[in-house]
Amino acid sequence: MRGNPLLGIRYFGRGFSLLSNKGLKRFVAFPILINALLMTALIYFGGGWLLDQIQWVVDWFPSWLSWLTWIITPVAALTLISITLYFFSAILNLVASPFNGLLSEAVETKITGAEIPEEPIAEQISRTLLREVKKLGYFIPRYLGLLAISFIPVINIVSPVLWFVFGAWMLTLQYLDYALDNNGHSFADLHQALKLQPLTTLGFGFVVAIGFMIPVVNLFVMPAAVCGATLYWSEQIKNEFKPT
């Protein structure tokens, strides 16, 4: 497999460093604000629900398997936390997508000197939202398949690993798409671009997923991921990418 997971991690770190860039601050502010508002709502309304669901999963197992509680509880917790985070991420990205598209464009223009075809802001927002809906149509059936696996006894022991690997790939897909969309590439092109350096793709998505789990840091993860993915596109993929 091509690529380097450490390279993907470094791109995320470089994305974080761009958040304080003077020319990008106004594009960064709105994603951070939206993230903070939705994260607060998730913690306030979702915390109790999550604990109830973990207990329900533990109670669902028959009494003769009670000796497995020490395994079942962390597996249930990790699985449900992963599910909650990825569905939260989908909602967050839908709401923030117009701002993320503008941020990606600003990064590519300012840092690399690339010229993005100009279009009216209203058209760009409309295009970005439609693209986000298309991504949801791609994500949801796969999420549901993993959700089904998560409740099959024995098999569900590996579900946290599957959620994490799948989530890492999807997170890179999510944030790399803004740069491809701004450059006029289709959603099908995105899948081809991700496969050019699959290990780098997984490394980037892995550290983004970890970032979303760290309090306070998670407020800045989304704009940092947009910046880092745009750098990844500009330096590693753009010149090599030849869509079929």
Side-chain angles (χ1 to χ4, degrees):
M1 294 177 71
R2 294 186 58 196
N4 182 346
L6 293 178
L7 181 61
I9 293 171
R10 283 199 294 270
Y11 271 116
F12 180 67
R14 288 177 62 191
F16 247 105
S17 69
L18 286 177
L19 297 185
S20 59
N21 187 290
K22 185 176 180 180
L24 299 175
K25 284 183 179 179
R26 63 193 178 103
F27 297 101
V28 169
F30 280 109
I32 290 176
L33 177 60
I34 293 168
N35 198 355
L37 291 173
L38 290 178
M39 188 70 72
T40 300
L42 173 68
I43 294 171
Y44 183 79
F45 294 106
W49 175 86
L50 187 59
L51 291 174
D52 290 342
Q53 298 310 305
I54 292 171
Q55 187 60 50
W56 177 84
V57 171
V58 172
D59 293 343
W60 180 72
F61 276 75
S63 58
W64 61 273
L65 286 177
S66 59
W67 60 277
L68 285 175
T69 301
W70 66 278
I71 296 177
I72 296 169
T73 301
V75 168
L78 285 171
T79 299
L80 286 167
I81 289 171
S82 297
I83 293 170
T84 303
L85 281 174
Y86 293 132
F87 274 102
F88 165 77
S89 177
I91 295 171
L92 173 63
N93 286 305
L94 178 62
V95 175
S97 59
F99 304 105
N100 287 340
L102 292 171
L103 173 59
S104 178
E105 181 179 302
V107 170
E108 190 168 355
T109 301
K110 183 176 181 62
I111 304 303
T112 71
E115 292 188 9
I116 306 295
E118 293 186 6
E119 64 178 319
I121 294 295
E123 290 184 13
Q124 183 175 9
I125 291 174
S126 176
R127 170 176 56 78
T128 305
L129 285 172
L130 287 173
R131 183 79 158 222
E132 208 63 33
V133 171
K134 183 178 291 186
K135 277 187 278 190
L136 284 175
Y138 176 82
F139 291 159
I140 289 174
R142 290 159 178 80
Y143 279 142
L144 292 176
L146 280 176
L147 185 60
I149 291 174
S150 300
F151 291 97
I152 300 175
V154 181
I155 296 177
N156 62 4
I157 292 177
V158 301
S159 64
V161 176
L162 295 177
W163 274 102
F164 207 79
V165 171
F166 177 73
W169 188 269
M170 291 297 100
L171 284 169
T172 307
L173 181 153
Q174 174 68 53
Y175 295 113
L176 186 64
D177 184 52
Y178 295 113
L180 271 82
D181 191 25
N182 286 337
N183 282 269
H185 292 290
S186 69
F187 190 62
D189 290 342
L190 172 62
H191 295 284
Q192 185 181 341
L194 285 168
K195 294 175 184 177
L196 288 175
Q197 296 189 26
L199 292 179
T200 307
T201 293
L202 287 173
F204 183 86
F206 172 81
V207 72
V208 172
I210 292 293
F212 270 122
M213 297 179 185
I214 302 174
V216 182
V217 173
N218 53 21
L219 298 177
F220 305 92
V221 167
M222 181 172 61
V226 173
C227 294
T230 303
L231 289 173
Y232 176 30
W233 153 258
S234 301
E235 298 178 2
Q236 297 292 324
I237 298 176
K238 190 173 184 177
N239 293 332
E240 184 182 356
F241 182 54
K242 295 179 175 58
T244 56

